[in-house]
mmCIF file of all heavy atoms in Angstrom:
data_model
loop_
_atom_site.group_PDB
_atom_site.id
_atom_site.type_symbol
_atom_site.label_atom_id
_atom_site.label_comp_id
_atom_site.label_asym_id
_atom_site.label_seq_id
_atom_site.Cartn_x
_atom_site.Cartn_y
_atom_site.Cartn_z
ATOM 1 N N GLY A 153 -11.448 12.632 -3.977
ATOM 2 C CA GLY A 153 -12.199 13.792 -3.523
ATOM 3 C C GLY A 153 -12.158 13.910 -2.019
ATOM 4 O O GLY A 153 -11.184 14.373 -1.446
ATOM 5 N N ALA A 154 -13.201 13.436 -1.388
ATOM 6 C CA ALA A 154 -13.278 13.561 0.066
ATOM 7 C C ALA A 154 -12.233 12.709 0.749
ATOM 8 O O ALA A 154 -11.810 12.993 1.853
ATOM 9 C CB ALA A 154 -14.664 13.155 0.550
ATOM 10 N N GLY A 155 -11.826 11.685 0.108
ATOM 11 C CA GLY A 155 -10.847 10.809 0.719
ATOM 12 C C GLY A 155 -9.673 10.621 -0.208
ATOM 13 O O GLY A 155 -9.685 11.031 -1.359
ATOM 14 N N VAL A 156 -8.705 10.025 0.284
ATOM 15 C CA VAL A 156 -7.543 9.721 -0.532
ATOM 16 C C VAL A 156 -7.307 8.229 -0.461
ATOM 17 O O VAL A 156 -7.200 7.654 0.615
ATOM 18 C CB VAL A 156 -6.291 10.456 -0.025
ATOM 19 C CG1 VAL A 156 -5.068 10.016 -0.826
ATOM 20 C CG2 VAL A 156 -6.482 11.946 -0.159
ATOM 21 N N LEU A 157 -7.282 7.646 -1.576
ATOM 22 C CA LEU A 157 -7.021 6.222 -1.630
ATOM 23 C C LEU A 157 -5.661 6.035 -2.271
ATOM 24 O O LEU A 157 -5.433 6.431 -3.400
ATOM 25 C CB LEU A 157 -8.085 5.514 -2.457
ATOM 26 C CG LEU A 157 -7.885 4.012 -2.669
ATOM 27 C CD1 LEU A 157 -7.853 3.291 -1.349
ATOM 28 C CD2 LEU A 157 -8.996 3.474 -3.541
ATOM 29 N N GLU A 158 -4.824 5.480 -1.548
ATOM 30 C CA GLU A 158 -3.464 5.350 -2.031
ATOM 31 C C GLU A 158 -3.057 3.883 -1.997
ATOM 32 O O GLU A 158 -3.269 3.194 -1.019
ATOM 33 C CB GLU A 158 -2.509 6.143 -1.161
ATOM 34 C CG GLU A 158 -1.088 6.117 -1.676
ATOM 35 C CD GLU A 158 -0.163 6.874 -0.759
ATOM 36 O OE1 GLU A 158 -0.378 6.805 0.454
ATOM 37 O OE2 GLU A 158 0.740 7.524 -1.248
ATOM 38 N N VAL A 159 -2.485 3.461 -3.045
ATOM 39 C CA VAL A 159 -2.014 2.089 -3.129
ATOM 40 C C VAL A 159 -0.521 2.136 -3.346
ATOM 41 O O VAL A 159 -0.045 2.734 -4.291
ATOM 42 C CB VAL A 159 -2.681 1.340 -4.291
ATOM 43 C CG1 VAL A 159 -2.207 -0.099 -4.322
ATOM 44 C CG2 VAL A 159 -4.181 1.401 -4.146
ATOM 45 N N ARG A 160 0.170 1.546 -2.476
ATOM 46 C CA ARG A 160 1.618 1.613 -2.572
ATOM 47 C C ARG A 160 2.205 0.223 -2.643
ATOM 48 O O ARG A 160 1.755 -0.680 -1.954
ATOM 49 C CB ARG A 160 2.207 2.319 -1.349
ATOM 50 C CG ARG A 160 1.853 3.758 -1.237
ATOM 51 C CD ARG A 160 2.645 4.377 -0.135
ATOM 52 N NE ARG A 160 2.358 3.721 1.139
ATOM 53 C CZ ARG A 160 3.195 3.709 2.162
ATOM 54 N NH1 ARG A 160 4.350 4.293 2.063
ATOM 55 N NH2 ARG A 160 2.882 3.107 3.272
ATOM 56 N N TRP A 161 3.203 0.095 -3.433
ATOM 57 C CA TRP A 161 4.000 -1.113 -3.366
ATOM 58 C C TRP A 161 5.103 -0.854 -2.367
ATOM 59 O O TRP A 161 5.793 0.146 -2.443
ATOM 60 C CB TRP A 161 4.636 -1.422 -4.719
ATOM 61 C CG TRP A 161 3.648 -1.770 -5.763
ATOM 62 C CD1 TRP A 161 3.106 -0.926 -6.675
ATOM 63 C CD2 TRP A 161 3.074 -3.046 -6.012
ATOM 64 N NE1 TRP A 161 2.238 -1.608 -7.469
ATOM 65 C CE2 TRP A 161 2.202 -2.908 -7.092
ATOM 66 C CE3 TRP A 161 3.228 -4.298 -5.411
ATOM 67 C CZ2 TRP A 161 1.478 -3.978 -7.594
ATOM 68 C CZ3 TRP A 161 2.504 -5.349 -5.925
ATOM 69 C CH2 TRP A 161 1.641 -5.192 -6.998
ATOM 70 N N VAL A 162 5.253 -1.746 -1.468
ATOM 71 C CA VAL A 162 6.280 -1.553 -0.464
ATOM 72 C C VAL A 162 7.323 -2.636 -0.630
ATOM 73 O O VAL A 162 7.134 -3.760 -0.193
ATOM 74 C CB VAL A 162 5.677 -1.587 0.945
ATOM 75 C CG1 VAL A 162 6.766 -1.425 1.975
ATOM 76 C CG2 VAL A 162 4.650 -0.490 1.079
ATOM 77 N N ASP A 163 8.345 -2.309 -1.312
ATOM 78 C CA ASP A 163 9.490 -3.204 -1.430
ATOM 79 C C ASP A 163 9.056 -4.630 -1.709
ATOM 80 O O ASP A 163 9.481 -5.560 -1.047
ATOM 81 C CB ASP A 163 10.330 -3.152 -0.157
ATOM 82 C CG ASP A 163 11.706 -3.752 -0.406
ATOM 83 O OD1 ASP A 163 12.063 -3.927 -1.578
ATOM 84 O OD2 ASP A 163 12.392 -4.060 0.562
ATOM 85 N N GLY A 164 8.240 -4.782 -2.662
ATOM 86 C CA GLY A 164 7.813 -6.119 -3.021
ATOM 87 C C GLY A 164 6.498 -6.506 -2.413
ATOM 88 O O GLY A 164 5.754 -7.274 -2.989
#
Side-chain angles (χ1 to χ4, degrees):
Chain A
V156 175
L157 176 60
E158 184 182 36
V159 182
R160 294 189 300 155
W161 294 95
V162 178
D163 196 15

